Amino acid sequence: MDFGRNILRRTPSPLIIHPFFFAYLPLLTLSAHNIQEVRWELALRGIIPLWVIALIALFVGYKLFRDWHRAGLVCSFGFLLFFAYGHIYLGLSFSFIQKISSQLGLIGNHSILLVLCSVLMILVIFISVRVRVMMKTITSLLNIAGLAAMLFPIINIINFEFQLNKSTSESDTIQFASAPVSNDVFQEPDIYYIILDGY
């Protein structure tokens, strides 16, 4: 048991970058989803404010827990819960769970759903405080999960830009090929006069 703890202590501490991934992920996903209506470059405007918020939340979490890994875990889960709240609320109105959610009073009642989300957040904080050994591993897994989640909308944006550039180049080629080519631009046209004099 002591040997395992010594190995975990000797392993290098991973960088805590997943809160920045999960803070920016909703805006990037929204931009990739609506890329045909809004240019994806507009989503870059929100990267600095969201990362500043993530940095402040991380420092506040460190002041509370005195551990960067626990602070990162709580921050990432907080961002996910905050940005997923609307999807959770709309998901409760699906037909197959509408009966259950209406009986529990969740539909149209934000107060109950806010209480449930608060309980979930407190549970994650409690787990992060109680867990003492696996925090480095959890941080590494969250870094990988955050990076993988960021890759999906980035791939969609790159694919859209590739298809857009391809279609633009094809349309330019078609217009160039269909343009009439004349050896002498200033050549005068032939004019014929038809005179009907058989009356």
Side-chain angles (χ1 to χ4, degrees), residues 16-94:
I16 305 166
I17 54 176
H18 54 87
F20 302 97
F21 289 150
F22 290 116
Y24 185 62
L25 179 63
L27 184 58
L28 186 65
T29 306
L30 187 66
S31 176
H33 185 70
N34 299 306
I35 194 168
Q36 294 183 353
E37 288 80 19
V38 181
R39 291 296 300 164
W40 64 270
E41 291 93 342
L42 296 175
L44 295 175
R45 297 178 182 177
I47 192 168
I48 294 176
L50 287 171
W51 281 4
V52 167
I53 292 170
L55 190 64
I56 293 170
L58 202 58
F59 272 107
V60 171
Y62 177 74
K63 290 293 183 181
L64 291 174
F65 303 110
R66 295 295 174 185
D67 186 85
W68 288 109
H69 298 285
R70 290 184 177 86
L73 172 62
V74 173
C75 285
S76 292
F77 187 80
F79 283 126
L80 285 174
L81 198 62
F82 177 78
F83 287 114
Y85 178 84
H87 297 285
I88 296 170
Y89 182 77
L90 293 175
L92 293 172
S93 60
F94 285 161

Side-chain angles (χ1 to χ4, degrees), residues 135-147:
M135 290 310 299
K136 291 182 181 179
T137 307
I138 292 171
T139 300
S140 299
L141 290 174
L142 285 174
N143 285 340
I144 295 169
L147 182 61

Side-chain angles (χ1 to χ4, degrees), residues 114-185:
L114 282 171
V115 169
L116 289 176
C117 290
S118 301
V119 169
L120 235 130
M121 191 71 198
I122 292 169
L123 186 64
V124 169
I125 292 171
F126 177 76
I127 291 171
S128 66
V129 170
R130 297 295 295 176
V131 173
R132 298 183 181 277
V133 183
M134 300 292 292
M135 290 310 299
K136 291 182 181 179
T137 307
I138 292 171
T139 300
S140 299
L141 290 174
L142 285 174
N143 285 340
I144 295 169
L147 182 61
M150 290 274 288
L151 284 176
F152 286 107
I154 290 172
I155 289 170
N156 288 336
I157 291 171
I158 293 171
N159 186 32
F160 177 80
E161 287 294 325
F162 177 75
Q163 296 294 333
L164 185 66
N165 293 331
K166 184 180 177 183
S167 62
T168 305
S169 62
E170 285 178 356
S171 64
D172 291 341
T173 305
I174 291 170
Q175 288 177 3
F176 180 75
S178 62
V181 179
S182 177
N183 294 328
D184 189 4
V185 178

